């Protein structure tokens, strides 16, 4: 027999075997489905027995965690295992075939529903995948799913928050006596396939089995709850929100360092206030309204808004005092406070006399008018106002000692006296204005120190609290 004849004989011998194997699997499926019950009936021979369904969920990715709508969308691998007593055969009778694949619509399908589902399309699964059936009747459903469920957000420590989102699975039609739902806790259920999300880290996935009764029904319904533990990746929010927030909080206080002559104090304060309100609005739009867990950062922005308003009001009052007519001499208690230890503590070196008093005493019947001056020093360190009028006083004294009756000399004497009194009044007004200017500067400095200290302490406290330290 030549080589060609040998190859032809081998092909003829192997071809029927392949055809027989193919026909054997088809015959097996046909035999099983011909004797199968209605797919809507539970696959048990004893109706008093329940069907135990074991499920496994492997989370692949957090597609979206929407804080505003408070829902989470995940992609996962979903597996369900149960025994179908009507899909059992002996592999020896069917050429050692131990498993087959059958369409989902041909067999009984377990009743598993996501209780806290919020998806418009409900559960998005791939319905075209076949069921894997073993010779002992074990059926395996393996399909990718996209699940969208309600997730209550706890944003107290935003953006260093951690969230717990639950996926609750249970039977909707069958109770615990008809179908028992249990989780798979074997080594194959470990969460090792998670793809990192840009905003969230999956730290852990826990599973819990509970049985619960509802008011509508007297039977017990089992539930399997998968809880996803998520931790926000805060680097983006620290750079975009937290860092500018801290800088704005410090910048708000620098309005008190501008001199009162500057015309930009009010515009600077208002601009800072608008920037704080803008950041506050950005956070409010991104987070859900909640009465029980408002973010600490939101309360911090509210505090900054109040501080900014206080700084604007204080600046307006101080500018009014500086630019308008001063109410008079500086009160003695205020001068003692600002120009005493408090002034030295905040780094302001100023000497002043708070009770400058000038009274003009006129002498009648040829007597010389005298000016009693009790203001011996000025806030800005200028020389005493009495030093300038020594020459007019000396001239006046000399002129009065003269026995001249000349009318010209009397006019000159009156002019010198008027000039001396007018100069003293002008110097006194300048001294008062300079004193009040120093008061405004010292109050500005005092408010800056106090409010800056408060803001720094509050900022550090808020950062430590929200970061969990």
């Amino acid at each position: 027999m030549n080589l060609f004849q040998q190859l032809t004989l081998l092909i003829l011998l192997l071809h029927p075997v392949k055809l027989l194997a193919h026909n054997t699997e088809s015959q097996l499926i046909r035999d099983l489905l011909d004797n199968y019950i209605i797919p809507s009936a539970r696959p048990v021979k004893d109706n008093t027995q329940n069907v135990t369904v074991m499920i496994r969920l492997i989370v692949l990715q957090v597609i979206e965690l929407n804080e505003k709508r408070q829902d989470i969308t995940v992609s996962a691998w979903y597996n369900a295992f149960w025994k179908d007593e009507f899909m059992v055969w002996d592999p020896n009778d069917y050429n050692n075939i131990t498993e087959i694949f059958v369409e989902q619509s041909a067999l009984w399908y377990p009743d598993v529903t996501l209780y806290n589902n919020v998806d418009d399309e409900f559960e998005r699964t791939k319905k075209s995948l076949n069921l894997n059936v073993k010779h002992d009747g074990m059926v395996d459903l393996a399909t990718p799913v996209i699940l969208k469920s309600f997730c209550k957000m706890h944003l107290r420590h935003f953006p260093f928050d951690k969230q717990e989102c639950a996926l609750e699975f249970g039977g909707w039609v069958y109770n615990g006596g008809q179908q028992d739902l249990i989780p798979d806790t074997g080594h194959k259920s470990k969460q090792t396939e998670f793809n990192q999300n840009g905003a969230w880290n999956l730290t852990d996935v826990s599973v819990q089995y509970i049985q619960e009764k509802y008011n509508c029904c007297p039977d017990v319904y089992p539930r399997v709850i998968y809880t996803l533990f998520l931790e926000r990746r805060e680097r983006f929010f620290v750079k975009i929100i937290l860092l500018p927030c801290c800088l704005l909080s410090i910048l708000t206080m620098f309005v008190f360092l501008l001199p009162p002559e500057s015309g930009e104090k009010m515009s600077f304060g208002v601009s800072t206030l608008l920037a704080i309100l803008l950041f506050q609005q950005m956070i409010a739009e991104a987070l859900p309204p909640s009465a029980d867990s408002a973010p600490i950062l939101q309360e911090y922005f509210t505090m900054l808004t109040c501080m900014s308003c206080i700084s604007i009001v204080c600046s307006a009052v101080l500018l009014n005092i500086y630019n308008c007519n001063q109410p008079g001499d500086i009160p003695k208690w205020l001068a003692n406070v600002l120009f005493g230890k408090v002034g030295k503590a905040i780094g302001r070196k100023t000497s002043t006399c708070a009770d400058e008093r000038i009274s003009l005493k006129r002498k009648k019947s040829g007597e010389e008018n005298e000016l009693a001056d009790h203001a011996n020093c000025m806030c800005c360190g200028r020389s005493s106002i009495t030093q300038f009028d020594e020459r007019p006083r000396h001239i006046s004294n000399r002129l009065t000692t003269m026995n001249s009756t000349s009318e010209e000399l009397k006019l000159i004497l009156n002019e010198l006296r008027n000039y001396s009194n007018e100069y003293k009044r002008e110097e006194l007004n300048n001294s008062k204005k300079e004193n009040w200017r120093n008061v405004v500067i010292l109050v500005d400095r005092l408010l800056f120190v106090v409010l800056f200290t408060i803001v720094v302490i509050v900022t550090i406290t808020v950062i430590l609290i929200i970061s969990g330290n």
Side-chain angles (χ1 to χ4, degrees):
M1 183 179 293
N2 55 25
L3 180 60
F4 177 75
Q5 293 175 343
Q6 292 178 357
L7 292 176
T8 304
L9 180 61
L10 181 61
I11 292 174
L12 292 174
L13 291 174
L14 292 178
H15 181 71
V17 173
K18 293 183 179 179
L19 184 60
L20 179 62
H22 174 73
N23 291 335
T24 302
E25 183 177 354
S26 300
Q27 185 63 39
L28 172 59
I29 296 175
R30 186 178 299 110
D31 293 342
L32 291 173
L33 295 182
D34 288 343
N35 298 323
Y36 196 74
I37 59 175
I38 301 176
S40 60
R42 293 184 303 116
V44 290
K45 296 179 180 179
D46 186 1
N47 291 331
T48 61
Q49 299 294 323
N50 63 6
V51 181
T52 301
V53 180
M54 182 171 61
I55 65 173
R56 178 197 305 156
L57 188 71
I58 305 297
V59 180
L60 299 179
Q61 184 181 6
V62 176
I63 299 176
E64 182 185 12
L65 181 56
N66 193 299
E67 293 93 345
K68 193 73 173 179
R69 297 193 305 264
Q70 300 195 69
D71 58 47
I72 182 173
T73 305
V74 299
S75 173
W77 289 342
Y78 173 77
N79 291 80
F81 310 91
W82 69 94
K83 185 174 182 179
D84 194 324
E85 297 181 1
F86 300 99
M87 296 295 290
V88 179
W89 73 91
D90 187 359
N92 296 326
D93 297 338
Y94 294 93
N95 199 20
N96 294 324
I97 298 177
T98 58
E99 65 176 359
I100 58 175
F101 295 90
V102 184
E103 294 181 358
Q104 295 185 22
S105 60
L107 300 181
W108 179 84
Y109 195 82
D111 171 32
V112 180
T113 303
L114 182 62
Y115 280 179
N116 55 346
N117 178 80
V118 293
D119 194 358
D120 296 337
E121 302 179 9
F122 216 73
E123 299 166 1
R124 285 177 276 178
T125 61
K126 194 173 179 60
K127 301 293 184 181
S128 60
L129 295 177
N130 294 332
L131 300 175
N132 178 255
V133 184
K134 298 294 193 298
H135 68 280
D136 57 355
M138 291 302 300
V139 183
D140 179 9
L141 167 64
T143 177
V145 294
I146 296 179
L147 303 173
K148 186 176 182 180
S149 66
F150 172 76
C151 179
K152 183 174 177 58
M153 306 298 295
H154 302 278
L155 300 170
R156 183 67 178 171
H157 296 89
F158 174 85
F160 297 92
D161 53 322
K162 299 178 181 179
Q163 304 298 331
E164 298 180 8
C165 300
L167 301 172
E168 302 181 12
F169 296 93
W172 192 263
V173 177
Y174 298 116
N175 55 45
Q178 299 168 330
Q179 173 188 281
D180 191 14
L181 196 64
I182 61 174
D184 181 14
T185 57
H187 67 281
K188 292 184 178 180
S189 62
K190 293 183 179 180
Q191 304 290 331
T192 58
E193 305 296 332
F194 182 75
N195 298 320
Q196 291 296 330
N197 183 276
W200 298 93
N201 289 327
L202 181 66
T203 59
D204 191 18
V205 177
S206 66
V207 60
Q208 183 183 8
Y209 171 78
I210 62 174
Q211 292 182 334
E212 188 172 354
K213 283 187 177 182
Y214 298 95
N215 296 330
C216 65
C217 311
D219 301 312
V220 176
Y221 286 83
R223 283 194 301 167
V224 176
I225 302 176
Y226 283 89
T227 304
L228 282 63
F229 296 88
L230 301 170
E231 182 178 5
R232 190 189 299 271
R233 304 179 73 173
E234 73 282 350
R235 180 176 299 179
F236 170 79
F237 298 95
V238 169
K239 293 180 179 179
I240 300 300
I241 295 179
L242 191 58
L243 184 58
C245 172
C246 297
L247 295 178
L248 278 176
S249 65
I250 297 176
L251 193 63
T252 303
M253 302 301 104
F254 277 84
V255 68
F256 295 113
L257 293 185
L258 293 176
E261 297 88 356
S262 175
E264 302 297 328
K265 285 177 71 73
M266 297 300 298
S267 60
F268 179 80
V270 173
S271 300
T272 307
L273 176 61
L274 293 177
I276 294 175
L277 293 176
L278 176 62
F279 272 91
Q280 187 178 22
Q281 187 66 22
M282 290 174 56
I283 297 179
E285 291 179 354
L287 302 181
S290 177
D292 53 352
S293 60
I296 297 178
L297 194 60
Q298 189 76 11
E299 298 178 356
Y300 177 65
F301 272 111
T302 303
M303 185 274 296
L304 287 183
T305 303
C306 296
M307 298 288 284
S308 182
C309 293
I310 292 174
S311 65
I312 293 175
V313 172
C314 292
S315 298
V317 173
L318 294 176
L319 288 177
N320 181 68
I321 295 176
Y322 175 76
N323 292 319
C324 299
N325 295 327
Q326 286 71 25
D329 294 336
I330 302 175
K332 188 174 182 180
W333 65 269
L334 182 59
N336 293 335
V337 171
L338 293 180
F339 301 109
K341 295 182 179 180
V342 175
K344 295 180 180 179
I346 60 178
R348 189 70 180 176
K349 297 180 180 179
T350 305
S351 60
T352 185
C353 204
D355 53 348
E356 296 176 345
R357 298 183 181 91
I358 297 179
S359 60
L360 296 176
K361 298 182 180 179
R362 297 178 179 179
K363 292 184 178 180
K364 298 180 180 180
S365 302
E367 295 182 355
E368 181 185 3
N369 295 334
E370 296 180 353
L371 177 64
D373 183 10
H374 299 285
N376 298 320
C377 56
M378 292 186 293
C379 314
C380 56
R382 296 179 182 178
S383 59
S384 174
I385 59 176
T386 57
Q387 295 177 358
F388 181 81
D389 65 322
E390 290 297 329
R391 292 183 60 187
R393 184 185 298 273
H394 177 65
I395 296 175
S396 175
N397 293 335
R398 293 183 58 185
L399 291 175
T400 53
T401 56
M402 299 175 61
N403 295 325
S404 174
T405 59
S406 173
E407 295 295 332
E408 295 179 356
L409 291 180
K410 292 181 179 180
L411 292 175
I412 293 175
L413 178 61
N414 291 332
E415 290 294 333
L416 288 176
R417 288 174 179 171
N418 293 335
Y419 173 76
S420 176
N421 293 336
E422 185 67 25
Y423 177 78
K424 292 174 182 178
R425 292 190 185 95
E426 183 179 353
E427 283 295 315
L428 181 59
N429 292 333
N430 292 336
S431 175
K432 290 180 179 179
K433 185 175 181 179
E434 191 67 23
N435 285 341
W436 280 108
R437 178 183 183 277
N438 286 324
V439 168
V440 171
I441 293 176
L442 286 177
V443 173
D444 270 341
R445 184 72 62 85
L446 181 61
L447 289 175
F448 171 79
V449 172
V450 173
L451 295 182
F452 184 81
T453 304
I454 295 175
V455 168
V456 170
I457 294 175
V458 173
T459 301
I460 295 176
T461 304
V462 167
I463 293 176
L464 292 178
I465 292 177
I466 65 177
S467 62
N469 295 327

